[in-house]
Every structure is written in structure tokens, then in C-alpha cells.
Amino acid sequence: MSKNDIDDATVQPVDDGGTVGDGQQSTGEGQRPTGDGAPQFDTNVSYRERRSTPSVVEVRDLNVYYGDEQALENVEMTIPRQQVTAMIGPSGCGKSTFLRCLNRMNDLVEAARIEGEVLLEGTNLYGDDVDPVVLRRRIGMVFQQPNPFPKSIYDNVAFGLRVQNKTVTDEIIERALKRAALWDEVKDKLHRSALDLSGGQQQRLCIARAIAVDPDVILMDEPASALDPVATSKIEDLIEALAEDYTVVIVTHNMQQAARISDKTAVFLTGGELVEFDDTNKIFENPEHDRVEDYISGKFG
Ligand SMILES: Nc1ncnc2c1ncn2[C@@H]1O[C@H](COP(=O)(O)OP(=O)(O)OP(=O)(O)O)[C@@H](O)[C@H]1O
């Protein structure tokens, strides 16, 4: 399967009752024991109540290979709760591979082999008893190209809830659209096709769709790179606002964007090495590593 096939395979609704547009999947009520009854994530405690711990995702000794090629090498990272964490680095350094490891999207790539641990609230996502479908209900994803379904604006936002057999109310739809800073622009045309929206509006709709099911973490792979400067600016403002409620992890090619909107920045360099991970200000003003300084100052990449 090619890299592009991953997105294609996960953005369209399928009839297994699981996939929710932008890669979110669910089997119903979230993190209850599933399948053979193996306990998964603790769902009796809501994410809002679990905020007492500072980190939400811990990555330990992560190595990823595509066939013989190593794409990530011994990556260790602690992703803080309710902050924006940006991944930057030159093309091919493994940023998207890393992001996809956080919700097991790489499971869909036949050639990919993953070693190491990714802990969500202390549970290894790669544990034998973890259902990736349940996991993707907790970790949503927004892609580079806005990918609304050919349905109404309302039905796009409702999609994930319906897949999970959850109640859909006008209030829930309104709340998600407001949270995605789209409500004022669409409140009078909720039953019109989502495909009639502009690219920037479509991307905010995809964000509304992702947050309607109330995930813990939102992964974003270059969410503004297909948009014009005005639409990009709206998405950037929105990402900063979302971090009040959610943990956001974003891949961006745009260093200024990472500097503007993120709290933490991870710099990957060629060979899938995470060279530095720190507060964004530190990375951009006084990085520890010469290679990071060279990259930030545009000497390569
Ligand atoms: N499905 C795949 N099959 C084989 N190799 C892959 C696949 N996806 C990525 N790779 C390889 O893994 C390495 C890391 O790719 P990845 O897309 O994660 O990098 P990136 O930093 O996100 O790049 P870009 O900024 O260009 O999107 C590259 O060498 C790439 O060719």
C-alpha cells in the first residue's frame, strides 16, 4: 500500500461500523472492555477528570521500518496534555510516520514494522489486547486535504456519533461547529452539502467532525498546507484554542507556523532521529544541537 493509499483507505466511511471519516474509528461506547473482555482504557473516568497527570502520550524506544528501511530510530517522547506539540524536520525524516504511530494508522501499511511502546494514559497502544478501532475513538486525526463526506454539513458532524450509536442532538452539532469556529458561517445552511464550502471551511468542518466524538488527542498532518493565508490563519487560531480542551499533535513543514502555535517542538532529522524535543521557544531561540540550529536557520532541509 502506498503512502497515499493510507489516507484514501481511512478517510472514506466503510460499513464495518468503525471508520469515521478522518481516520477515527469506534466500536461504540469508547473504552469499555471489548471483545474478549480485556480491559482497555479506563472509561469510567472522563478525560476532563483525568487531567491531573501532566502527560497524555508517552513514546518509548519507538523504531519503525518499512521493509529494510528504518524510518524512525529509538524515538522517546512525552507529549504534554492540553498543549500543542509540533513535529518539524526535512522531508522524509519520519514526521508523518511518527504521527501515524500515535493512532496505529501504520497498521494499515503492509511493509511497516513497529517496535517499542506508545502509551496512552499508561496503556500501550500496541498491546495485544488493544482494539485499534476503540483507540481511534480516543485519538482523532485531521489530514492535509480537507475530506468532508458528500453529505450535509450537519450529517458530517453527526457521522461519528451515529457510527457509535450515540444520540445526535442539534445542540451537540452546534457545539462542535462553534468549537471549530465554523458555526457563524454555516448556521443557516446546515443541511446544504459540505462540498459547497470553501477549502478552509471544509477543514474546519473536518475538525468539527473530529471533536464531535470528544477525543482526547487530535493528530493533524499538515492541516493548513492546502489552504490560503487567511484560511491558514483561522486554522492556526483554532488549533491554539483547541488546546484548551484537547491535546494536539501537529506535523508541519512550516517552521513559522510551529513557532507561532506550538508549546513544544520536536525536531526530526534525516534518518528518523528525534534530535531535540523541548519548549518551542527554546528550540527556536537557543537549541542545544548545532544540527537543529542549522535546520532552524535554514542552512539545510
Ligand atoms: N508506506 C510507505 N512505504 C514505504 N516507505 C515509506 C512509506 N511511508 C513512508 N515511507 C518512507 O519512510 C520515510 C519517512 O517518511 P515520512 O512520510 O514519515 O516522512 P515525513 O517527514 O513526513 O516526510 P514529508 O515531510 O515529505 O511528508 C521516508 O524515507 C519514506 O520514503
Side-chain angles (χ1 to χ4, degrees):
M1 181 182 280
S2 76
K3 191 178 171 190
N4 288 338
D5 289 341
I6 299 169
D7 291 357
D8 293 343
T10 53
V11 295
Q12 298 304 328
V14 292
D15 60 6
D16 65 358
T19 305
V20 182
D22 45 1
Q24 291 199 56
Q25 298 179 319
S26 171
T27 49
E29 282 299 302
Q31 301 74 47
R32 304 248 165 79
T34 59
D36 57 5
Q40 300 243 348
F41 309 105
D42 181 1
T43 59
N44 294 322
V45 187
S46 79
Y47 179 58
R48 308 285 174 263
E49 293 167 72
R50 278 186 267 116
R51 283 173 175 172
S52 50
T53 55
S55 67
V56 61
V57 177
E58 293 257 353
V59 178
R60 293 188 189 157
D61 202 16
L62 184 69
N63 288 276
V64 179
Y65 308 82
Y66 294 106
D68 295 335
E69 188 194 344
Q70 185 157 12
L72 288 177
E73 200 183 329
N74 301 329
V75 175
E76 305 263 344
M77 196 187 296
T78 299
I79 297 175
R81 185 183 300 282
Q82 286 168 272
Q83 293 193 14
V84 179
T85 296
M87 314 283 143
I88 63 171
S91 184
C93 67
K95 305 178 294 292
S96 297
T97 296
F98 179 80
L99 198 74
R100 292 197 302 263
C101 284
L102 302 185
N103 72 346
R104 289 188 52 170
M105 201 73 92
N106 280 329
D107 289 12
L108 303 165
V109 181
E110 221 169 281
R113 184 160 56 84
I114 294 136
E115 295 171 354
E117 290 187 333
V118 179
L119 306 175
L120 174 65
E121 311 279 2
T123 299
N124 183 15
L125 306 187
Y126 289 90
D128 290 341
D129 56 353
V130 170
D131 179 349
V133 171
V134 175
L135 158 72
R136 292 184 198 123
R137 144 77 181 76
R138 297 237 348 234
I139 305 186
M141 190 146 183
V142 174
F143 294 94
Q144 182 170 6
Q145 288 293 337
N147 57 351
F149 302 130
K151 293 170 176 282
S152 70
I153 293 164
Y154 190 103
D155 287 343
N156 265 274
V157 182
F159 188 88
L161 295 162
R162 288 186 177 137
V163 167
Q164 295 176 34
N165 293 320
K166 289 200 170 151
T167 312
V168 175
T169 64
D170 292 352
E171 288 71 30
I172 292 174
I173 303 301
E174 180 176 335
R175 196 161 58 230
L177 286 167
K178 280 186 171 160
R179 202 71 195 78
L182 187 59
W183 174 250
D184 288 344
E185 290 156 72
V186 301
K187 63 183 175 203
D188 298 324
K189 49 182 179 184
L190 292 176
H191 297 286
R192 295 251 298 271
S193 171
L195 303 183
D196 293 343
L197 297 174
S198 72
Q201 289 172 328
Q202 288 187 7
Q203 194 62 307
R204 279 178 282 141
L205 179 64
C206 292
I207 292 171
R209 188 175 63 190
I211 60 184
V213 294
D214 202 25
D216 298 354
V217 182
I218 305 174
L219 309 178
M220 297 187 172
D221 198 349
E222 299 266 0
S225 66
L227 307 177
D228 66 36
V230 173
T232 295
S233 167
K234 284 189 181 168
I235 294 284
E236 289 185 3
D237 290 347
L238 174 56
I239 289 169
E240 285 188 278
L242 285 174
E244 290 166 18
D245 289 322
Y246 303 99
T247 299
V248 180
V249 186
I250 176 172
V251 165
T252 178
H253 272 107
N254 183 330
M255 277 194 267
Q256 286 75 26
Q257 182 172 76
R260 276 194 298 268
I261 66 172
S262 70
D263 302 286
K264 297 266 182 199
T265 296
V267 186
F268 288 85
L269 293 178
T270 312
E273 185 191 353
L274 173 59
V275 179
E276 200 162 329
F277 177 54
D278 211 328
D279 291 341
T280 295
N281 289 344
K282 172 93 169 76
I283 294 283
F284 283 93
E285 286 164 18
N286 186 23
E288 292 292 321
H289 295 79
D290 291 345
R291 284 188 295 159
V292 171
E293 186 156 8
D294 287 351
Y295 176 67
I296 299 285
S297 60
K299 286 196 186 140
F300 74 92

